[in-house]
Amino acid sequence: MKSDYWLRLERKVKFGECDSAGVIHFHNLLDWAHQSWEESIEKYGISSMDIFPSITNKIDRALPIINCEANFYAPIELGCNLDISIKPTKINNHLFKVETIFICKSKKVAQVNIVHCAIDIKTKKKIDLPQSLELWIEASNLENKIMEC
């Protein structure tokens, strides 16, 4: 198994994700990008329960999205097998960006960039990123640097 398996994902475009022309609804790309980074942290070994607040856990922080953008370079059509790569980057102690690149048939068809900010749920003030998330980002970037050599 490759050492960067948590940064590479796959999905197949399904009928319910497309419009009548057989091309995905634009909003699905943002959803897939968010699902991909969630899947990536779980594959890396971080439980979503340790990152995301819910009624059942006692997490006192949240990671709201403060910026997102999506760029389409070619139509993403029904049945397309997408190769998805995740590239997280720490911006500062409370911000990080997840770049998600979508490839179909060896061609880059889309890219999504999502920026998250760590905040205290009660005060809504910025706080440091969770250590486990920092380790995920660091490991991901280390892998990218190794591949560049």
Side-chain angles (χ1 to χ4, degrees), residues 83-134:
D83 293 314
I84 304 167
S85 63
I86 309 295
K87 295 182 180 179
T89 306
K90 182 178 175 180
I91 298 171
N92 59 35
N93 288 339
H94 58 273
L95 293 173
F96 71 101
K97 175 176 86 169
V98 179
E99 179 181 301
T100 309
I101 298 170
F102 297 85
I103 306 287
C104 182
K105 297 178 185 171
S106 301
K107 181 179 177 183
K108 183 177 177 181
V109 292
Q111 179 173 329
V112 171
N113 296 319
I114 299 176
V115 178
H116 293 266
C117 180
I119 63 168
D120 181 283
I121 289 178
K122 293 177 186 146
T123 67
K124 307 297 188 239
K125 293 187 182 201
K126 298 171 189 171
I127 60 172
D128 289 345
L129 295 171
Q131 184 179 10
S132 59
L133 198 56
E134 287 218 35

Side-chain angles (χ1 to χ4, degrees), residues 3-82:
S3 62
D4 66 345
Y5 70 96
W6 73 86
L7 301 172
R8 311 261 182 245
L9 307 162
E10 296 176 358
R11 79 169 294 120
K12 185 174 185 172
V13 178
K14 299 177 183 115
F15 176 74
E17 298 165 329
C18 297
D19 60 19
S20 59
V23 176
I24 68 155
H25 290 282
F26 70 94
H27 61 87
N28 283 322
L29 194 66
L30 291 170
D31 188 33
W32 295 343
H34 199 278
Q35 288 176 20
S36 294
W37 92 264
E38 284 186 55
E39 185 176 337
S40 176
I41 63 171
E42 288 183 359
K43 282 184 172 185
Y44 181 72
I46 303 170
S47 168
S48 59
M49 295 295 291
D50 294 335
I51 298 294
F52 301 107
S54 73
I55 295 170
T56 59
N57 63 14
K58 305 264 190 242
I59 294 179
D60 57 353
R61 70 175 169 275
L63 299 168
I65 295 170
I66 61 165
N67 181 271
C68 62
E69 65 181 7
N71 293 297
F72 291 85
Y73 305 111
I76 301 173
E77 299 174 318
L78 174 64
C80 180
N81 291 309
L82 294 170

